Structures are given as C-alpha cells and as structure tokens.
C-alpha cells in the first residue's frame, strides 16, 4: 500500500512536470519558430531608412519602430515616476513605520500588488475622465496617464524589494554607523542603501519587465494601433504588447501576421533577459550578505 | 518616536500618499459608478443580464464567466503545480532540481500577451477541430492557457512550503534511510498545507485578475456561459471591451461596477492570504 | 554616592528593561578615567545591553524604558547624557564603541577610517589622511596595511579587521571606549595583540570592557564588576 502510493506519487510528479514544461515549450516554440523568419532588416524600420526614422524625419508605417519607441518612452517615464516613490516608500516602511501604521500601509500595498492590472488601468481612465472635466478638450488618454497608472502598478514590486533588502541587513552592519554618531538618515544613505544595491537593482529590473509586458493598463489609458512615434506626453502612442494583441485579432495579411510573431519574439526575449538579470542580481546580493 | 527631519517627512508623506491612492482608487470608481448604484439597481446590476439596447446593464454573465474560468484554471493548475513542486523539492535527481526551478522562474517572466498570441494560432485551431463546431474560442481554451500561466506562481508558493522543514529533521529522515518520496509524503507534505492553500488562493487571484487570456481566447460574447465549451466574457475583458463606448453612457458606468467587484474580490483574497500565512513565510 | 576625582562615567539609580524583562535595577556605579573597567557575568544577563546604555545605542535596537541617570564627565563637569543639550550624535562621537564581531563597512580601509570624520563634518583631505595614519599607528596596523589603504576592508584578516574597527573608533578621539567582547572572534595571537593595545589606549581614555574571559580580565582590568541578578557587584 505504502509502496503503491510512493510509486503513484513519482509517476504523477513526473507526468505533471513533463506536461507543464511541454505546454510552455509548445507556446514558446510557436513564437520562436514563426517569429524567427520575421527578424529581417525591414522588421523595425520597414522601407524607411533607419537614420531618417531615428531622427524622426520620416514616419515608419510598415515597421515596429513606432511601437518600440512608444514602449521605450512609456517604460522610461514609468520608471522615472515609480523608482523615487518606490524607494521612499520602501525606506519608510522598513526603517520608520511601526505598529498599526505599518500594518495598515502594508495591507494597502498588498492589495495593490494583488489588484488586476485592468483595474489599475480603469483607475487611470477614471483619472483621465476627472481631468477631462477639469480641463475640457486638453486631456484624454495619453502617454502620461499610462505611465502614471503603470508606475502605480509596478510600485509594490519596488516597495517590496527595497523593504525586504533593508530589513535583512545584518545588525552588526546596521549599528556601525550610529555607533560612530551618524543619524538615521545618514546611516540609510551611506551604509544601508549601498549594502542593498544589488537587491534594489533586481527589484527595479523586475518592475521594468512588468511594465514592458503589461497590456491591460495601456489599452485603457492611451495605447492605440496607429499613432506613429509619440510626439508629446499628452499624445496617444503605440506599444509593443498592444501591437501584438491588436495583430492577433486584426491582421490583414500574412505579412502583418509575420510581423506580429516577430514582435512577440522580441518582447519575449526582452522579458527573459530582464528576468535573468534580476535573478542574477538578487543572488549576488544574498551572497554578499553572507559574512 | 523622535521628531522627523524634513527629508524624513518627505519619505513619510510619499508613503502615506501612495497608500491613500490605493484606497482612493476604490473611492473614485464608486463615484463614477454612482449613477448606476444610486438608482437602486444594485441587485439587477450584479444579478441581471447584459442587454444595453434594452437598458439592462447586468454583469452577472461576466461574473459567472470570470469565476468559472478562474476556478477551472486553478483546478487544472493545482495538479500540474503540485507535481512540479514535488519534483523540484524531492523527486527529481538532485542535479536537475535547481535547473527545474530556474525554468519555473523563467516561465513566470513570459508576458501574458505572448501566451495569448501563441494560443490563438496554436491552440484555438486544435480546439476548433476537437469540438467539431464553433470557432474554437471557448472558456476551456482560455482555461488551459490560464492554467499554464498561473502554475509558476503556485509552484513558487508550494516549493517554499515544502522546503520549510528544518534541515535537521530532513537530515534525521535521511539518516533513517528514508527515500525521497517517503520524506516528501510523510515529512514535507503534512506541514506544507498552509503554504499550499496560500498558493492556491494566490493562483485564484491571478486567474481572476488576468485580462489578456480571457480577452484573446474565450470568445467574449456577453451571455451566460452554459458550459466550458461555450464562449464567455470575463469581468476584466468586459472592462476592456466596453471602453470604447461613450463616456457618459450607462454602459460605460457599468464597467466601474466591474472594477469595484474585482477590487473587492482581490482585497478579500489578500485578506485570506494574510491570515493564512505570516508575512515572513511568503516567498 | 560619593564621586571620586577621576570618575568618567556614573550611573544613578539606573534601571533598564527590555520589553517585559527588567535587566538592570537601581544601579549606581562610577567608572574611572584612564582605566580599564571590566564587566563580566553569565551570558544573557544583559552585559552588552548595559554597554549600549552608555552611548544610547539601545535606542536603535529597541528596548527600554530607562529610568535613572547616566552621567559623563566632560570638560571636568558631570553631564546627563540624556540632556537636550547633548545630541545623541555628539554623545556617540565622544563615546566610541567596538563590537563583538569586526564590522568594517563595505568600502575601502581609507573610506572606513574617513567615515566618522565625514559624519562629523570634517572634509579636509590632509587632516583625514593624517588622523588615519595616527589611528592606524596606535592600533599597530599601519605597517601592515600602508600599501593597500584603497582595497576593500573586508579582505583583511579577522584580527586586522578588529584593529581597523578600533582605529575607526579612535578617529574621533573619543573619551570613552565601549568594547563588547572585542576578542571573542579572534585567535589567541590576535587576542593578545588587542589586549596590549588596550593597555596603551587607557592612558588617553576610559575603557569599559565586557568580557567573560577571566584570564583576560585579570591580565588587563583595573576595576571589575560582576553583572548578575539585575545588579552590578564590585569585585575588584
């Protein structure tokens, strides 16, 4: 009886593992095999000369350039907003907040971490509507609103990585600077944050990966299928994940579909690279921690 | 507490503002959905069907589709994840265990839209053939992909729970000549129950909150689903699809009701999770 | 309690708890200047906690409340270390501390030594260099590390790291040195080196040493107190 249970467990575990990996490899394989041929010189810039496109002298209509530029602008803006807020919040939660205040704040950030991204996008849209009523005709769904909403979406990742890293600094290191007369803020700035740098960098990269791939937030707050390179913070824009979603339902010809697969492959590669980098940094941090 | 310097005040202010924004989101959605809630239609909103032409804005079909899809996905994902976690913790050859976990972590980094995109062209035609009628865009199609999507999240929780046994117990079992599978079944598994429950709740949360898989694969018709083989529209998809409507229409206001429902569901799951697992035990 | 001419630290009716637990109860003692005062006793009685009372470092760790007074003789006058005129950073600059395990900051030797001076607002490069050399000479480390001041401090041996930490504490020319079992993580040779050093250093400051090595105490201590049952008993 015991023996049969052991055998069953091993069979079940092997089957489950193989099935899961086979399923993921199937999906990834489809993207790689059908996307690979599309990685041609014209993929990004189409028929336009790359230099003309980069200098914004000419619009690219049949390439991924506008979507990539949109995603780049979006992620850069998102992180500019999210990193300072995430750092400040993580530092405050780890080093200052105590008791009930801390419990309430971490409950709120746990809720935020669990919220569906479409709900965060919806909140961004709600903000747009309010702003639209205040400044009629000036503000609609746009790059800035998307970045605000995305920053909010990735905030918990940043807060958590900063907070966890700070809270795991060993006590000997933590007391060194105060014993020499440093005040709390100086200790944080000069000793604790430098000691946590790899983990914080890992958290930031994780957040970038999350911001690059998110589709639900941006489809509610300003991403569109055709807008060209983003011209201003208050303009609509194209983005790589939205482009992939759009192509899946709306492709007109095999060429467009091919470009969709190639775009999916590019996005997949970016996210995997980000994840590997984040893992590596986190591991380096925990190794350095050991005495 | 000693007095805070201006810089420390700024840290505090940022934190409190970010925290308040989380609560403000709910308030904002309540305000925007108010005309619907106010008119005493709460019950018909939650329980009714979706007939905008007839002035009926019920979200019941979407609520049912969401719950159905999420639960089936979790049902499919639990055995997959549990088996993989067993392998990663005890059953796979020792040299394979850490590459296995690396694989799982990589899976968790694959963008959702990529899964959706691949499935539209790889899985949907298979489903169409297998069912024999219809488009192949069904709740089951979405559930299969969603199961794969949420598995890494669950595995990380399961593995954390299974590994929580103190090293000395584990060594003691090894010294008694315990095989890995016996150690797993009689030592690791019994004490991992809370973490396994937490992982399932976490997976359910991710499945309920996902937008792209349902939107791209489930067919999106706003009718009460009859089975997993019919098409359906989730709450999240509903928000994404109605967005194009006129900002001042009742139709548009109903998506804020969907947002509120999703917000409250998530908050409830977070509360359950915090009760089940202390913060330190969360991966 | 009578005060002697050469007292440096004094407590009056000092009581200290950690959570529910009362660690120190109604202690009134005086430690001499230019002397090594050893505090010994069974583990878990709060010897290290007592040390952190003198530089108020316990406030960073948690614990308290503290009742009674702790006084420090500065410029010939007894001053309450909790008085508002005495900011905690000033106190800690005049009362240096060395911990049980060496705790070099994750930076170069030179940066470790410069760190306390920069905190105190001293930025002059030449002064920093001069004081670093002086501190390294006093801990007999200068010859060993002179050629690698820019390398990471964590690459030094345990004994060298602890001497570096001592030198770092000396950078601010403290009047009191608190030492929390400073040799417990070192081998016998490094330990003997530190002991010799302390005998030299006591000429310029008051040293309070927590130790549970009886032989070490009999070798170097001028005053010995036993901490047990929440109170300090003078042994020597």
């Amino acid at each position: 009886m015991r023996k049969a249970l052991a055998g069953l467990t091993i069979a079940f575990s092997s089957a489950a593992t193989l099935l899961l990996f086979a399923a993921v490899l199937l999906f990834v394989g489809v993207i790689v095999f059908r996307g690979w041929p599309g990685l041609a010189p014209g993929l990004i810039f189409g028929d336009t000369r790359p230099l003309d496109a980069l200098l914004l002298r000419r619009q690219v209509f049949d390439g991924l350039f506008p979507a990539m530029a949109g995603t780049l602008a979006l992620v850069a803006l998102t992180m500019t907003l999210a990193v300072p807020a995430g750092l400040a919040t993580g530092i405050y939660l780890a080093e200052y907040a105590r008791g009930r205040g801390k419990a309430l704040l971490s409950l709120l950030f746990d809720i935020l971490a669990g919220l569906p991204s479409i709900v965060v996008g919806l909140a961004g849209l709600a903000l747009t509507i309010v702003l639209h009523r205040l400044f009629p005709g000036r503000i609609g769904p746009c790059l800035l609103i998307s970045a605000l909403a995305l920053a909010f979406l990735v905030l918990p990742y940043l807060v958590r990585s900063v907070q966890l890293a700070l809270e795991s600094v060993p006590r000997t290191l933590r007391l060194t600077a105060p014993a020499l007369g440093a005040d709390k803020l100086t200790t944080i700035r000069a000793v604790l944050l430098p000691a946590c740098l790899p983990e914080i960098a890992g958290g930031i990269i994780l957040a970038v990966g999350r911001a690059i791939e998110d589709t639900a937030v941006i489809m509610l707050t300003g991403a569109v299928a055709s807008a060209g390179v983003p011209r201003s913070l208050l303009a609509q824009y194209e983005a790589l994940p939205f482009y992939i979603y759009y192509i899946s339902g709306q492709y007109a010809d095999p060429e467009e579909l091919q470009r969709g697969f190639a775009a999916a492959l590019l996005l997949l590669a970016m996210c995997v690279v980000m994840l590997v980098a984040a893992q590596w940094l986190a591991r380096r941090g925990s190794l350095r921690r050991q005495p | 507490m000693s007095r805070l310097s201006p810089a420390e005040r700024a840290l505090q202010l940022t934190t409190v503002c970010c925290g308040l924004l989380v609560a403000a989101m709910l308030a904002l959605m309540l305000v925007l959905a108010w005309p619907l809630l106010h008119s005493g239609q709460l019950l018909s909103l939650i329980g009714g069907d979706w007939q905008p032409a007839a002035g009926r804005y019920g979200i019941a079909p979407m609520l049912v589709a969401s719950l159905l899809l999420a639960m089936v996905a979790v049902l499919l994902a639990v055995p997959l994840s549990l088996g993989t976690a067993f392998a990663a913790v005890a059953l796979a050859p020792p040299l394979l265990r850490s590459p296995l976990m690396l694989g799982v972590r990589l899976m968790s980094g694959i963008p959702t839209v990529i899964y959706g995109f691949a499935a539209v062209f790889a899985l949907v035609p298979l489903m169409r053939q297998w069912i024999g009628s219809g488009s192949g865009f069904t709740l089951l199609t979405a559930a299969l992909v969603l199961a794969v999507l949420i598995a890494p999240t669950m595995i990380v929780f399961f593995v954390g729970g299974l590994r929580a046994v103190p090293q000395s117990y584990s060594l003691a079992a090894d010294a008694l000549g315990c095989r890995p599978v016996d150690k797993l079944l009689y030592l690791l598994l019994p004490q991992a129950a809370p973490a396994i429950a937490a992982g399932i709740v976490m997976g359910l949360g991710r499945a309920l909150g996902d937008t792209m898989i349902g939107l791209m694969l489930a067919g999106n018709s706003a009718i009460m689903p009859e089975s997993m083989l019919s098409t359906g529209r989730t709450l999240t998809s509903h928000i994404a699809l109605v967005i194009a409507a006129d900002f001042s229409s009742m139709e548009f206001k109903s998506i804020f009701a969907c947002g509120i429902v999703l917000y409250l569901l998530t908050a409830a799951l977070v509360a359950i999770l915090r009760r089940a697992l202390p913060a330190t035990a969360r991966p | 309690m009578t005060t002697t001419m050469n007292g440096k630290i004094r407590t009056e009716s000092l009581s200290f708890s950690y959570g529910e637990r009362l660690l120190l109860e109604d202690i009134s003692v005086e430690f001499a200047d230019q002397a090594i005062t050893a505090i010994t006793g069974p583990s878990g009685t709060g010897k290290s906690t007592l040390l952190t009372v003198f530089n108020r470092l316990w406030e960073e760790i948690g614990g308290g409340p503290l009742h009674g007074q702790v006084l420090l003789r500065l410029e010939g006058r007894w001053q309450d270390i909790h008085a508002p005129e005495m900011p905690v950073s000033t106190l800690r600059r005049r009362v240096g501390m060395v911990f049980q395990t060496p705790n070099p900051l994750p930076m170069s030797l030179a940066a470790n030594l410069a760190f306390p001076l920069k905190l105190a607002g001293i930025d002059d490069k030449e002064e920093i260099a001069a004081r670093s050399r002086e501190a390294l000479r006093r801990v007999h480390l200068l010859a060993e590390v002179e050629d690698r001041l820019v390398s990471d401090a964590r690459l030094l041996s345990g004994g060298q790291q602890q001497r570096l930490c001592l030198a770092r504490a000396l950078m601010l020319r403290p009047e009191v040195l608190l030492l929390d079992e400073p040799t417990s993580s070192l081998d016998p040779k490094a330990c003997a080196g530190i002991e010799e050093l302390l005998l030299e250093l006591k000429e310029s400051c008051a040293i309070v040493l927590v130790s549970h090595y009886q032989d070490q105490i009999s070798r170097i201590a001028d005053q010995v107190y036993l901490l047990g049952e929440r109170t300090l008993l003078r042994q020597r």
Side-chain angles (χ1 to χ4, degrees), chain A residues 38-78:
Chain A
L39 294 183
L43 173 67
I44 291 171
F45 297 108
D47 298 332
T48 318
R49 277 185 31 221
L51 197 63
D52 287 345
L54 285 173
L55 295 175
L56 307 180
R57 282 200 292 242
R58 209 168 271 152
Q59 277 214 53
V60 177
F61 291 107
D62 49 358
L64 295 177
F65 181 64
M68 292 180 78
T71 286
L72 187 70
L74 178 67
V75 171
L77 190 56
T78 298

Coordinates of all heavy atoms in Angstrom, one line a residue, chain A residues 38-78:
Chain A
G38 N 10.8 36.3 -39.3 CA 10.4 37.7 -39.4 C 11.5 38.7 -39.0 O 11.4 39.9 -39.1
L39 N 12.6 38.2 -38.3 CA 13.6 39.0 -37.8 C 14.5 39.5 -39.0 O 15.7 39.1 -39.0 CB 14.4 38.3 -36.7 CG 13.7 38.0 -35.4 CD1 14.7 37.3 -34.4 CD2 13.1 39.2 -34.8
A40 N 13.9 40.2 -39.9 CA 14.7 40.7 -41.0 C 15.0 42.2 -40.8 O 14.4 42.8 -40.0 CB 13.8 40.5 -42.3
P41 N 15.9 42.7 -41.7 CA 16.3 44.1 -41.5 C 15.1 45.1 -41.6 O 15.1 46.1 -40.9 CB 17.2 44.3 -42.7 CG 17.8 43.0 -43.1 CD 16.7 42.0 -42.7
G42 N 14.1 44.7 -42.4 CA 13.0 45.6 -42.5 C 12.0 45.6 -41.4 O 11.0 46.4 -41.3
L43 N 12.2 44.7 -40.4 CA 11.2 44.5 -39.3 C 10.9 45.8 -38.6 O 9.8 46.1 -38.3 CB 11.7 43.4 -38.4 CG 10.8 43.2 -37.1 CD1 9.5 42.6 -37.5 CD2 11.5 42.3 -36.1
I44 N 12.0 46.5 -38.2 CA 11.8 47.6 -37.4 C 11.5 48.9 -38.1 O 10.6 49.6 -37.8 CB 13.0 47.8 -36.5 CG1 13.1 46.6 -35.5 CG2 13.0 49.1 -35.7 CD1 14.3 46.5 -34.7
F45 N 12.2 49.1 -39.2 CA 12.0 50.3 -39.9 C 11.2 50.2 -41.2 O 11.0 51.2 -41.9 CB 13.4 51.0 -40.2 CG 14.2 51.3 -39.0 CD1 15.2 50.5 -38.6 CD2 13.7 52.3 -38.2 CE1 15.9 50.8 -37.4 CE2 14.4 52.7 -37.0 CZ 15.5 51.9 -36.6
G46 N 10.9 49.0 -41.6 CA 10.1 48.9 -42.9 C 10.9 49.4 -44.1 O 12.1 49.1 -44.2
D47 N 10.3 50.1 -44.9 CA 11.0 50.6 -46.1 C 11.8 51.9 -45.8 O 12.5 52.4 -46.7 CB 10.0 50.8 -47.2 CG 9.4 49.5 -47.6 OD1 10.0 48.5 -47.4 OD2 8.2 49.5 -48.1
T48 N 11.6 52.5 -44.7 CA 12.2 53.8 -44.4 C 13.7 53.6 -44.0 O 14.0 52.6 -43.4 CB 11.5 54.4 -43.1 OG1 10.1 54.2 -43.3 CG2 11.8 55.9 -43.0
R49 N 14.5 54.6 -44.3 CA 15.9 54.5 -43.9 C 16.0 54.6 -42.4 O 15.4 55.6 -41.9 CB 16.7 55.5 -44.7 CG 17.1 55.0 -46.1 CD 18.0 56.0 -46.8 NE 18.9 56.7 -45.9 CZ 19.2 58.0 -46.1 NH1 18.6 58.7 -47.0 NH2 20.0 58.6 -45.2
P50 N 16.7 53.7 -41.7 CA 16.8 53.8 -40.3 C 17.1 55.2 -39.7 O 16.5 55.6 -38.8 CB 17.9 52.8 -39.9 CG 17.8 51.8 -41.1 CD 17.4 52.6 -42.3
L51 N 18.1 55.8 -40.4 CA 18.5 57.1 -39.8 C 17.4 58.1 -39.9 O 17.2 58.9 -39.0 CB 19.8 57.6 -40.6 CG 20.5 58.7 -40.0 CD1 21.1 58.2 -38.7 CD2 21.6 59.3 -40.9
D52 N 16.7 58.1 -41.0 CA 15.5 59.0 -41.2 C 14.5 58.8 -40.1 O 13.9 59.7 -39.5 CB 14.9 58.8 -42.6 CG 15.7 59.4 -43.7 OD1 16.7 60.2 -43.3 OD2 15.5 59.1 -44.8
A53 N 14.3 57.5 -39.8 CA 13.3 57.2 -38.8 C 13.8 57.6 -37.4 O 13.0 58.2 -36.6 CB 13.0 55.6 -38.8
L54 N 15.0 57.3 -37.1 CA 15.5 57.7 -35.8 C 15.6 59.2 -35.5 O 15.3 59.6 -34.4 CB 17.0 57.1 -35.6 CG 17.0 55.6 -35.4 CD1 18.5 55.1 -35.4 CD2 16.4 55.2 -34.1
L55 N 15.8 59.9 -36.6 CA 15.8 61.4 -36.5 C 14.5 62.0 -36.6 O 14.3 63.2 -36.7 CB 16.8 62.0 -37.5 CG 18.3 61.6 -37.3 CD1 19.1 62.1 -38.4 CD2 18.8 62.1 -35.9
L56 N 13.4 61.1 -36.7 CA 12.0 61.5 -36.9 C 11.8 62.3 -38.1 O 10.9 63.2 -38.2 CB 11.6 62.3 -35.6 CG 11.8 61.6 -34.3 CD1 11.3 62.5 -33.1 CD2 11.1 60.2 -34.2
R57 N 12.7 62.1 -39.1 CA 12.5 62.9 -40.4 C 11.3 62.3 -41.2 O 10.7 62.9 -42.0 CB 13.7 62.9 -41.2 CG 14.8 63.9 -40.7 CD 15.8 64.2 -41.7 NE 16.6 63.1 -42.0 CZ 17.9 63.1 -41.9 NH1 18.5 64.2 -41.4 NH2 18.6 62.1 -42.2
R58 N 11.1 61.0 -41.0 CA 10.1 60.3 -41.8 C 9.4 59.3 -40.9 O 9.9 58.7 -40.0 CB 10.8 59.6 -42.9 CG 9.9 59.5 -44.1 CD 10.5 59.0 -45.4 NE 11.0 60.0 -46.2 CZ 12.0 59.8 -47.1 NH1 12.5 58.6 -47.1 NH2 12.4 60.7 -47.9
Q59 N 8.1 59.2 -41.1 CA 7.3 58.2 -40.4 C 7.5 56.8 -40.9 O 7.6 56.6 -42.1 CB 5.8 58.6 -40.4 CG 5.4 59.6 -39.5 CD 4.0 59.4 -38.9 OE1 3.7 58.3 -38.5 NE2 3.2 60.4 -39.0
V60 N 7.5 55.8 -39.9 CA 7.5 54.4 -40.3 C 6.1 53.9 -40.3 O 5.5 53.9 -39.2 CB 8.5 53.7 -39.4 CG1 8.5 52.2 -39.7 CG2 9.9 54.3 -39.4
F61 N 5.7 53.4 -41.4 CA 4.3 52.8 -41.5 C 4.3 51.3 -41.4 O 3.4 50.7 -40.9 CB 3.6 53.3 -42.7 CG 3.3 54.8 -42.6 CD1 4.0 55.7 -43.4 CD2 2.3 55.2 -41.8 CE1 3.7 57.0 -43.4 CE2 2.1 56.6 -41.7 CZ 2.8 57.5 -42.5
D62 N 5.3 50.7 -41.9 CA 5.3 49.2 -42.0 C 6.4 48.5 -41.2 O 7.0 47.6 -41.6 CB 5.4 48.8 -43.5 CG 6.6 49.5 -44.2 OD1 7.2 50.3 -43.5 OD2 6.8 49.3 -45.4
G63 N 6.7 49.1 -40.0 CA 7.7 48.5 -39.2 C 7.3 48.7 -37.7 O 6.3 49.3 -37.4
L64 N 8.1 48.1 -36.9 CA 7.8 48.1 -35.4 C 8.3 49.4 -34.7 O 8.2 49.5 -33.5 CB 8.4 46.9 -34.7 CG 7.8 45.5 -35.2 CD1 8.5 44.4 -34.5 CD2 6.3 45.5 -34.9
F65 N 9.0 50.2 -35.5 CA 9.7 51.4 -34.9 C 8.8 52.2 -34.0 O 9.1 52.5 -32.8 CB 10.4 52.2 -35.9 CG 11.1 53.4 -35.3 CD1 12.2 53.2 -34.5 CD2 10.7 54.7 -35.6 CE1 12.9 54.2 -33.9 CE2 11.4 55.8 -35.0 CZ 12.4 55.5 -34.2
P66 N 7.6 52.6 -34.4 CA 6.7 53.4 -33.6 C 6.3 52.7 -32.3 O 6.4 53.3 -31.2 CB 5.5 53.7 -34.4 CG 5.9 53.4 -35.8 CD 7.0 52.4 -35.8
A67 N 6.1 51.4 -32.4 CA 5.7 50.6 -31.2 C 6.8 50.5 -30.2 O 6.7 50.6 -29.0 CB 5.2 49.2 -31.6
M68 N 8.0 50.3 -30.8 CA 9.2 50.1 -29.9 C 9.5 51.5 -29.2 O 9.8 51.5 -28.0 CB 10.4 49.6 -30.7 CG 10.2 48.2 -31.1 SD 11.6 47.5 -32.0 CE 12.7 47.1 -30.7
A69 N 9.4 52.5 -30.0 CA 9.7 53.9 -29.5 C 8.7 54.2 -28.4 O 9.0 54.7 -27.3 CB 9.7 54.9 -30.6
G70 N 7.4 53.8 -28.6 CA 6.4 54.1 -27.7 C 6.6 53.3 -26.4 O 6.5 53.9 -25.3
T71 N 7.0 52.0 -26.5 CA 7.2 51.2 -25.3 C 8.4 51.8 -24.5 O 8.4 51.9 -23.3 CB 7.5 49.7 -25.7 OG1 6.2 49.2 -26.1 CG2 8.0 48.9 -24.6
L72 N 9.5 52.2 -25.3 CA 10.7 52.7 -24.6 C 10.3 54.0 -23.8 O 10.6 54.1 -22.6 CB 11.7 53.0 -25.7 CG 13.1 53.4 -25.1 CD1 13.7 52.3 -24.4 CD2 14.0 54.0 -26.2
A73 N 9.6 54.9 -24.5 CA 9.2 56.1 -23.8 C 8.3 55.8 -22.6 O 8.5 56.4 -21.5 CB 8.4 57.0 -24.8
L74 N 7.4 54.9 -22.8 CA 6.4 54.6 -21.7 C 7.2 54.0 -20.5 O 7.0 54.4 -19.4 CB 5.4 53.6 -22.3 CG 4.4 53.1 -21.2 CD1 3.5 54.2 -20.9 CD2 3.6 51.9 -21.8
V75 N 8.1 53.1 -20.8 CA 8.8 52.4 -19.6 C 9.7 53.4 -19.0 O 9.8 53.5 -17.7 CB 9.6 51.2 -20.1 CG1 10.5 50.6 -19.0 CG2 8.6 50.1 -20.6
A76 N 10.4 54.3 -19.8 CA 11.3 55.3 -19.2 C 10.5 56.2 -18.3 O 10.9 56.5 -17.1 CB 12.0 56.0 -20.3
L77 N 9.4 56.7 -18.8 CA 8.6 57.6 -18.0 C 8.0 56.9 -16.7 O 8.0 57.5 -15.6 CB 7.4 58.1 -18.9 CG 6.6 59.3 -18.3 CD1 7.5 60.5 -18.0 CD2 5.6 59.7 -19.4
T78 N 7.6 55.7 -16.9 CA 7.0 54.9 -15.8 C 8.0 54.8 -14.7 O 7.7 55.0 -13.5 CB 6.6 53.5 -16.3 OG1 5.6 53.6 -17.2 CG2 6.1 52.7 -15.1

